[in-house]
Every structure is written in structure tokens, then in C-alpha cells.
Amino acid sequence: MPPASDGIWSSMTKSQTKLEHPFHQTEHERDIDLIQPPHSSSVPFKQRFPASQSLQSMVGGYSRLVVERMENGWAAYLVTFVFDHLRGSRTSVLGQMRDEILRIYSTFVTRTHRKPRAVPTDQLPVLISVADLPVVKSIRPNERTSCNDGLHLHAILLVPPITRLKEHVAEHFKHQMDLYAGPRKLVAGIHVRPITSTPERVVDYVFKTVLRGRVAYDDAVLVLPRASGELD
């Protein structure tokens, strides 16, 4: 399990409280609650695709973390990262994607806090990033998600109520896309939309590929911040 800050994980264990979406949403992105899931079943992913008890417990912990932060005034967002073609095996591609997420987080956190290394980690934005694979029959050759055999990342981004950011998070990523794409332009798109309710369902959605056993937890999940040394 990837290491996380004590502040983040203590929140997950102490609190006991609470999408499938089409990728292509650019202008006038809809609130996540309006997006219809591709399956008619209302049963959560973790029940339709039974995973180990420990894995389900961890996913439940992430749900409690998101709920707790939202109840304390944090803004929550569902973020989708898609990438240009990356060379190598799946393990190599996942490693490159994780490196890009680390770079993106390190850049974003300096936009929310002038001196992030001087801020307690439990007061910094939280990014829960999970690798995802689309259903094979749903991939179309001309879609960006067909790149890298459909492998992309979903994340839940939690932003504290007081930051130095002067614009909406979605607008920030849209306006600064050249910066977040990186020097090699490996990041092809970042799509951000707010989570206003049903965070447990969003967490289930983000973890669906892991819960189905299609990608191992250790390979798929990256939680930030982990340590102050990663804020360089």
C-alpha cells in the first residue's frame, strides 16, 4: 500500500460517515450527479465485483476521507488524466503516468500554497489517483482513451477551503494546460468536474478497475501528499 501522511490516514480511520461518466466532456461540463452510469444496476461496483475484504476496507477508508473533508468545507473534484502514447510494458507505462502525476501535484500545490513545505500535510490538497481501463468493447480507435491500450487515470482531488488559488480549479487546469502537460507533453488532457454529492459512489467508480482485479492495487494507486520531500 502506498505510504501516506499520518494526517490523511488518521482521517480515514477515525471517521465513520458518505460514476461512471463518458470521457468526452469539454465545454459546459456537467455536474457528476447528472451523469448516467453505463450500467443500469444501482449496486455499488465493490458489490458487483467482489474484492478481498482488506481491499474493500481500504476503498471504504477513502470514501470516509472524502466525506470528512467535504463536511469540513473542502472542495472535491473528479479528475481524469489521459496521456499521449507512452512506450514500454504496462508496468513501464504505469510508472511514467505516476511520475507525471507526481509532477502535476507538485506544480498544483505551489499554486494553492506559497510555501507548501511549511504547511502540515493534512492541510495540503489531497490527490487519490487510480489507474483505469475501459471496457474493451467500448473503445473506439479514434478516441484518446484508445491510446496506451485504453489505460488512463482517474483521481479524486480534495482542495482545502483556504488557498491562494484565484480561480475555480477546473478553470485553473484549463488555463494552465500547457504547464501541466509537461515539457514532453505526455499529458494529453486533464478533465475536472466538481463532486457535490454521493462521494462514496464516486470513489467506487474511481477504484472500479482495481476492484475488478484488472490492475493490482500497488500498481494502480497513488495517494498524495506522501511526505514533505515530494513537494520540491
Side-chain angles (χ1 to χ4, degrees):
M1 180 173 181
S5 69
D6 292 341
I8 291 175
W9 287 102
S10 63
S11 298
M12 293 175 60
T13 56
K14 292 177 182 177
S15 175
Q16 295 297 323
T17 37
K18 335 192 181 297
L19 291 223
E20 194 86 26
H21 67 90
F23 173 74
H24 295 292
Q25 295 213 46
T26 53
E27 300 294 328
H28 310 296
E29 290 180 339
R30 295 175 292 172
D31 186 285
I32 191 169
D33 301 313
L34 302 179
I35 299 168
Q36 295 297 320
H39 302 285
S40 59
S41 173
S42 60
V43 180
F45 281 107
K46 60 176 176 280
Q47 293 183 23
R48 284 189 275 129
F49 300 95
S52 69
Q53 185 174 355
S54 60
L55 178 55
Q56 292 193 32
S57 177
M58 283 190 286
V59 174
Y62 288 114
S63 295
R64 292 191 293 273
L65 168 63
V66 174
V67 169
E68 182 182 84
R69 294 300 169 93
M70 291 178 68
E71 289 179 344
N72 288 327
W74 290 51
Y77 302 90
L78 174 64
V79 186
T80 301
F81 300 93
V82 291
F83 299 81
D84 201 350
H85 178 69
L86 303 175
R87 297 179 181 275
S89 64
R90 174 178 288 184
T91 299
S92 174
V93 168
L94 283 169
Q96 294 174 69
M97 289 181 176
R98 290 163 69 93
D99 288 345
E100 290 299 301
I101 296 302
L102 281 165
R103 178 187 58 77
I104 290 170
Y105 179 85
S106 296
T107 301
F108 179 70
V109 78
T110 62
R111 271 60 183 176
T112 61
H113 295 78
R114 189 175 301 277
K115 297 181 179 180
R117 295 190 63 172
V119 178
T121 53
D122 62 356
Q123 296 178 24
L124 294 172
V126 177
L127 186 71
I128 305 166
S129 172
V130 187
D132 188 33
L133 286 166
V135 177
V136 175
K137 65 181 179 180
S138 71
I139 303 176
R140 298 177 182 176
N142 62 342
E143 289 184 348
R144 277 184 172 177
T145 49
S146 66
C147 196
N148 302 308
D149 294 326
L151 190 65
H152 56 286
L153 299 178
H154 288 306
I156 294 176
L157 175 63
L158 300 169
V159 180
I162 300 176
T163 72
R164 61 191 291 253
L165 202 61
K166 302 301 183 184
E167 59 185 343
H168 189 277
V169 170
E171 291 299 311
H172 171 75
F173 278 102
K174 181 178 179 180
H175 295 157
Q176 301 294 327
M177 187 57 212
D178 285 345
L179 173 66
Y180 288 110
R184 295 191 293 161
K185 306 301 181 185
L186 297 181
V187 180
I190 301 175
H191 299 261
V192 181
R193 58 191 100 159
I195 301 168
T196 59
S197 62
T198 62
E200 288 181 333
R201 191 169 173 222
V202 180
V203 173
D204 282 352
Y205 168 72
V206 168
F207 277 88
K208 68 182 186 299
T209 294
V210 173
L211 290 168
R212 288 168 172 167
R214 298 180 68 194
V215 181
Y217 177 94
D218 289 342
D219 294 331
V221 180
L222 176 63
V223 181
L224 299 169
R226 294 191 298 194
S228 59
E230 293 179 351
L231 303 178
D232 293 335

